[in-house]
Amino acid sequence: MVGDAVQTFYLMGFRGLKPSVYTCNMVLGSLVKEQKVDMFWSFFKEMLTKGICPNVATFNILLNALCQRGKFKSAGFLLRKMEESGVYPTAATYNTLLNWYCKKGRYKAASKLIDSMTSKGIAADVCTYNVLIGNLCKEGRSAKGYLLLKRMRRNMVYPNEITYNSLINGFVKEGKIAVAAKVFDEMSSFNLLPNIVTYNTLIAGHCRTGNNGEALRLMDVMVSCGLRPNEVTYGALLNGLSKHAEFGLVSSILERMRMDGVGVGHISYSAMIDGLCKNGRLEEAVQLLDDMLKNSVSPDVVTFSVLINGFFRVGKINNAKEIMCKMYKTGLVPNSILYSTLIYNYCKMGYLKEALNAYAIMNHSGYAADHFTCNVLIAAFCRCGRLEEAEYFMEHMNRIGLDPNSITFDCVINSYGNSGDALKAFYMFDKMNWLGHLPSQFTYGSLLKALCISGHINEAWKLFHRFCSVPNAVDNVIFNTMLTSTCRSGNLSDAVALIDEMVTNDFLPDNFTYTNLITGLCKKGKIVAALLLSGKAIEKRLLSPNPAVYTSLVYGLLKHGHSRAALFIFEEMLSKGVEPDTIAFNVIIDQYLRRGRTSEVNDILSTMKSKNVCFNLATYNILLHAHAKRNAMTRCLMLYKDMIRNGFLPDKYSWNSLILGYCRSKSFDVAIKILRWITLKGFITDCSTFNILMSKFCERNEMKMAYDLLNHMNQFTIIPNVDTYNALFNGLIRTSDFDKAHHVLQALLESGSVPTSKQYITLINGMCRLGNIKGALKVQDEMKTHGVSSHYVAMSATVRGLAHSKKTENAIWVLDLMLEMQVIPTVATFTTLMHVYCKEANVAKALELRSTMEHCHLKLDVVAYNVLISGLCANGDIEAAFKLYEEMKQRNLWPNTSMYIVLIDSLCAGNYHTQSEKLLRDIQARGLVSFNSYGGTKRLNELLIIARRKIIHLRYKMRRNFG
């Protein structure tokens, strides 16, 4: 339209007609409004060319145009030129400049301009002051605006409704409702009638602060003054009442709106839905949305966002997805804020896969992610331990032109710190510095944590003292980080020294400091010291009684078996008004369940219910695990359903318990289905989940199922750990699949772990048993190469394996080879071979080996003597056997029960009066049996039989007690 006006202006000139200055001013004003800058200035030049003389209004428009573009110097120059040309500025001219000065925050320039007005005899009018007051109130400087009102009165300029409305609105926005109310009363005292804007502003302010009674009273006053409440009035009331859960009054307001013929808009509906969601009344919120659609009120994205957020808050994801579907059906699509909300909530609840899907759709929809969204995703990666992916996502941020900020780096550094990867933490710290991001105290704390958790305590102390020399680098949190590490390592003397250093550096120990120290004392088993410290600290008001302190004391007492004392402390906590939190209850429940004291657990659960202490996810997990261990799957499922009903999403510990329970109850098919389902749904699983099933399959020798599970792990990029490989190895050994067992040990080596000496020896024995001598020797060489044990242990294992496999000649060949190489076999190796010879009734060869042992400066142990004595007795050479028995005693080696039984059986079979008496005296001297008197040979034999019976009974008792 304005373009047509310009064309008409040029056409008039072509026809010889001269438009008036008023016509030109209208065109100029329209061009300024539509921001057509080039056309504006060319029109003004053409106006001058045609001899149309500008008036005050023209100059006011020009000044406004210059100020709009921030050209204040040019505006000042134009003002001077205006005066020189004989066109004198009016109050409106100065008001135009004042308005722009205030908008740009140039209040000093505005004040000078008012002085300039006064010096030129132009009195500031109410509009002048309104401009200044209005802008001051918008900037949150309402108090200065009120001072200007006083100055206005002194200058005999009377404020109007706009002046007071600006001040009331300003004070309300600043939360100063009482001041706003006084300004409102002052307005009435000066015979100025408040209008609907005034009332709406005050009503909204009272509703915001929860003073809904006063808001309703004001609405009644407003009606009595002849003003009719509009949608804004009712919207403010509905918002306030819904926000503060006064839903009874909401119904009466809605009825009043209906009677007044005021429709409920989508903003009011959104406010009510938000109030219902925040108060957990989600079903009513959904019903209100349906009513909204029935009444043909179109909801916006905010309305749906409020509901989606409400369902996410209580963990009801499926309901949130239903609302999303409703939103799409109404033709609305999510905006960037809703996408960010979805990503945040998915990450918060552990649904990282869903969060990434939402992020991908957000990008595809053309919305650019901000730092908040990206940092939320990186934090989620870090929480899952997927730190490599977190770093990759940081590179993605760079690619989309969003440089990672200090919060991004802090998140990743902290996660590396929590995992104890000090090298990576410092690498990210260097990168952070290189990009120019300043580290915070949180960054320094994360670096110290990384060193402490990784076991580099000395380096942590050095870095800590370096930080102490950097201004503002150290705070209470960093001291407490070091204290936590020191207490965990059990260095309580260092912990006390650190607290002294803390005080020296003007940092007072806080609740966290004392709680840390008390926790450290409890873990160290110094319960008395912990109790004394907590008592003194509370008495001197250095420590306020808190659930964490009492929880540590209760945990320490229960752990060391002092259940009565633990319950006393728990009751003391209640008596001192310290309400135990869920964590405190969880500690007691966990410790009692570990000891199988389920009746006490039921009492504690009743106490929790009576105190309205809600279960958290950890509570459910503790109970689930206990029921799973007892194969109580019915209880497990009931608990699981209750957990879901209360809005808790299962985590990896919940799933682990269910899988463990089904494995223990031999429902492996159900356990596998659960595992497949959670992995496909994107739940966070780790090795521990798979290892539960892996160990059960291997225990049952179902190796095909175990390997299928291993392939399943590889599909989901879950790296097997030592426990995985150990379970597979044990299963393969049991099924005599020694070649595969060997491959498992090689895989274990490739993963960075070294197999144990026992595993290698077990494998060698198995291979020897199957006649795979070449394989056994290969494994023996591997033992030596990887430094699992010394060469003599490796070769000794081969000898024993061959001997156990009845390949005696091969075993002797390896033994001779060892002796030629001057590698001394172990005592166990000689004993194994002697045992083989004795079983073959070749005692002479066994005694030759005994001589070889002595030549190698090896002394026989109890087992070796037992083997030789048993062999000699079996061969009927009792004299030689008893001679070895006497030699054994001289070396301060006492026979075991098996040897006594062998000797008794041999002596009873012949006439060995002297040896029998000696043996009985020895048995009596060791306190194994007691006799009243001896007698003849017959009596000796009876005593030997009695002794034998008592020794067998004693051996049975020992095996039963000690396994």
Side-chain angles (χ1 to χ4, degrees), residues 10-61:
Y10 285 116
L11 187 63
M12 284 175 74
F14 182 72
R15 295 283 176 91
L17 298 171
K18 188 178 178 183
S20 70
V21 69
Y22 304 106
T23 307
C24 293
N25 286 348
M26 285 176 67
V27 175
L28 283 170
S30 298
L31 288 168
V32 169
K33 274 185 185 177
E34 295 190 16
Q35 295 185 0
K36 296 186 176 181
V37 181
D38 295 334
M39 196 182 286
F40 173 86
W41 290 109
S42 62
F43 183 86
F44 179 63
K45 285 176 185 174
E46 188 64 31
M47 179 181 158
L48 295 175
T49 305
K50 291 185 184 297
I52 300 166
C53 189
N55 62 7
V56 176
T58 316
F59 280 106
N60 289 350
I61 294 165

Side-chain angles (χ1 to χ4, degrees), residues 212 216 234 237-257 264 268 271-273 275-276 288:
N212 295 315
L216 289 165
Y234 286 118
L237 281 165
L238 288 171
N239 187 18
L241 293 168
S242 301
K243 190 178 176 182
H244 295 92
E246 294 186 37
F247 298 110
L249 288 170
V250 167
S251 304
S252 62
I253 293 295
L254 288 171
E255 180 60 26
R256 191 164 171 176
M257 285 175 79
V264 184
S268 298
M272 288 188 285
I273 289 168
L276 288 165
L288 198 59

Side-chain angles (χ1 to χ4, degrees), residues 374-384 411 415:
C374 290
N375 287 345
V376 161
L377 281 165
I378 282 174
F381 277 122
C382 292
R383 274 197 304 275
C384 302
C411 185
S415 295

Side-chain angles (χ1 to χ4, degrees), residues 889-919:
K889 286 197 300 179
Q890 285 171 10
R891 290 186 178 179
N892 292 320
L893 293 173
W894 284 101
N896 54 25
T897 54
S898 298
M899 193 183 296
Y900 280 126
I901 291 165
V902 167
L903 285 168
I904 288 168
D905 287 344
S906 300
L907 292 171
C908 286
N911 187 17
Y912 300 100
H913 186 86
T914 308
Q915 288 90 339
S916 297
E917 281 189 347
K918 280 184 179 179
L919 187 64

Side-chain angles (χ1 to χ4, degrees), residues 113-147:
L113 195 64
I114 290 173
D115 293 337
S116 176
M117 280 177 75
T118 309
S119 65
K120 289 173 183 176
I122 301 169
D125 60 7
V126 69
C127 294
T128 311
Y129 283 104
N130 282 351
V131 165
L132 277 168
I133 290 168
N135 279 287
L136 283 166
C137 291
K138 281 177 188 174
E139 294 292 320
R141 300 167 74 180
S142 303
K144 284 206 170 184
Y146 188 74
L147 290 173

Side-chain angles (χ1 to χ4, degrees), residues 664-681:
R664 280 179 172 261
S665 57
K666 298 181 181 178
S667 301
F668 293 104
D669 53 339
V670 181
I672 290 167
K673 281 178 184 176
I674 290 172
L675 182 61
R676 283 177 182 161
W677 187 81
I678 62 174
T679 46
L680 286 169
K681 286 288 180 182

Side-chain angles (χ1 to χ4, degrees), residues 565-727:
L567 281 173
F568 175 79
I569 293 295
F570 188 72
E571 285 166 7
E572 183 188 299
M573 173 167 64
L574 299 175
S575 67
K576 287 193 174 179
V578 179
E579 286 297 324
D581 56 10
T582 311
I583 297 167
F585 280 110
N586 286 351
V587 165
I588 297 177
I589 292 166
D590 185 45
Q591 289 298 315
Y592 276 144
L593 284 171
R594 285 173 189 269
R595 288 163 174 73
R597 296 167 66 174
T598 49
S599 59
E600 284 93 336
V601 169
N602 291 331
D603 292 340
I604 290 160
L605 293 174
S606 300
T607 307
M608 281 182 81
K609 192 176 180 181
S610 67
K611 291 192 166 293
N612 294 320
V613 178
C614 298
F615 284 16
N616 62 11
L617 188 57
T619 320
Y620 282 108
N621 284 342
I622 290 164
L623 293 168
L624 274 172
H625 186 70
H627 292 316
K629 281 176 77 176
R630 290 167 48 222
N631 300 345
M633 290 313 296
T634 309
R635 295 291 299 276
C636 260
L637 289 172
M638 285 172 64
L639 200 63
Y640 173 77
K641 286 175 183 176
D642 187 56
M643 178 173 84
I644 298 297
R645 194 164 48 249
N646 286 307
F648 290 102
L649 282 174
D651 62 3
K652 67 176 182 179
Y653 301 107
S654 319
W655 297 122
N656 286 1
S657 295
L658 286 171
I659 290 167
L660 174 67
Y662 281 115
C663 285
R664 280 179 172 261
S665 57
K666 298 181 181 178
S667 301
F668 293 104
D669 53 339
V670 181
I672 290 167
K673 281 178 184 176
I674 290 172
L675 182 61
R676 283 177 182 161
W677 187 81
I678 62 174
T679 46
L680 286 169
K681 286 288 180 182
F683 284 99
I684 300 159
T685 52
D686 59 11
C687 245
S688 62
T689 312
F690 283 90
N691 286 348
I692 293 166
L693 267 170
M694 183 71 74
S695 61
K696 292 298 174 185
F697 284 140
C698 293
E699 280 171 19
R700 290 166 58 86
N701 299 337
E702 294 181 9
M703 297 314 296
K704 185 182 181 302
M705 298 289 281
Y707 271 96
D708 287 346
L709 196 62
L710 188 66
N711 293 332
H712 199 60
M713 286 175 76
N714 292 329
Q715 283 173 16
F716 288 96
T717 63
I718 294 169
I719 300 164
N721 63 9
V722 176
D723 293 334
T724 318
Y725 289 119
N726 286 349

